Amino acid sequence: MSSDHTSSAPRRTLRLRRESWGFVIGSFLFGMAATRVYGQAVGPEIDNITYFVGSLFFTTAGFIQLRLSGRPVPGEESATVERYDWWAALIQFVGTLLFNVSTGVVLIQSLTVEQDRVWGWSPDLFGSTAFLVASGLAVVATTETDKLWDPHARNWRSTWLNMIGSIAFGVSAVGAYIVPGTDALKNAAVADLGTFVGAVCFLVAALLMRPPHPRYSPNQARTRS
């Protein structure tokens, strides 16, 4: 059994690295697409494609995270941290799928529908809500293993960065509310800024949780030096 555990550890680490890089790339693309400089430089169609591709990286990372948290639904015998961690991963994965839908629909509209106005993606309320709920559950799970306030714990910092990012996404969704009777957003600047801030928080959180390469060891570092 020890050999199986040893052989599975590098695979888990590799999956964790893939999960982390998926969130990093997805966050980077969302943050870049939310800036007006990029949107004006590439045009609305490319901007929408950037959002859509970013959502695919989010979904891939979210699926890996769900798989790593355990496939069976935790039962009453499971520890509190296991239950909250699993539900956080599931709800976040659903949120990434909702972002796939919203970015995909706008992308199709911008490429195929003839309109006088320009179609552009705006933050999705349902996907943002799912991210916010998932972050809240992750905070509960983290407090079961770490303190609620422990600046020296990497897991603690990452969890709260994700919470701040989810709140920013929620604010951006409110700013993206369409004023009834018009095609105008309630506050386009808030929508863009909230998306950008949220993406930066997610990116930094993912980098903090990125494990070292499974093949790397201090002995190798000494050998190379």
Side-chain angles (χ1 to χ4, degrees):
M1 291 182 63
S2 60
S3 61
D4 292 340
H5 175 73
T6 302
S7 62
S8 63
R11 289 199 297 271
R12 179 176 176 81
T13 300
L14 182 59
R15 290 175 182 174
L16 285 170
R17 286 178 61 84
R18 289 173 178 172
E19 173 197 333
S20 176
W21 280 117
F23 282 123
V24 166
I25 296 173
S27 300
F28 176 79
L29 293 176
F30 261 66
M32 183 171 62
T35 61
R36 295 197 175 185
V37 173
Y38 177 79
Q40 293 173 354
V42 302
E45 290 82 7
I46 300 299
D47 199 47
N48 289 328
I49 291 174
T50 304
Y51 275 123
F52 180 68
V53 174
S55 75
L56 296 180
F57 278 98
F58 273 143
T59 299
T60 301
F63 179 72
I64 296 173
Q65 184 181 53
L66 181 60
R67 288 291 302 273
L68 288 172
S69 66
R71 279 178 287 181
V73 180
E76 295 181 357
E77 71 284 357
S78 303
T80 302
V81 63
E82 293 176 339
R83 294 198 301 270
Y84 279 92
D85 186 56
W86 188 87
W87 281 107
L90 176 63
I91 294 174
Q92 179 163 278
F93 177 63
V94 172
T96 64
L97 293 176
L98 292 172
F99 279 122
N100 290 161
V101 173
S102 64
T103 56
V105 168
V106 172
L107 175 61
I108 293 173
Q109 290 175 331
S110 67
L111 295 177
T112 61
V113 179
E114 293 292 337
Q115 293 283 340
D116 292 333
R117 69 184 182 90
V118 177
W119 287 90
W121 183 78
S122 57
D124 173 48
L125 177 62
F126 299 105
S128 299
T129 301
F131 269 43
L132 186 60
V133 172
S135 294
L137 293 173
V139 167
V140 175
T142 300
T143 56
E144 289 293 317
T145 55
D146 299 315
K147 299 177 182 178
L148 183 63
W149 179 266
D150 187 3
H152 300 292
R154 185 177 61 174
N155 204 35
W156 173 90
R157 288 180 291 176
S158 177
T159 300
W160 278 104
L161 276 171
N162 280 324
M163 172 59 81
I164 295 172
S166 297
I167 293 174
F169 263 37
V171 171
S172 69
V174 174
Y177 174 73
I178 301 295
V179 179
T182 71
D183 291 329
L185 301 184
K186 183 177 181 180
N187 195 321
V190 169
D192 290 339
L193 180 61
T195 301
F196 178 79
V197 171
V200 170
C201 289
F202 293 146
L203 189 153
V204 175
L207 287 175
L208 285 175
M209 292 303 295
R210 183 172 61 91
H213 196 283
R215 296 179 180 177
Y216 176 83
S217 68
N219 292 331
Q220 289 177 327
R222 296 191 191 100
T223 301
R224 291 173 183 173
S225 62

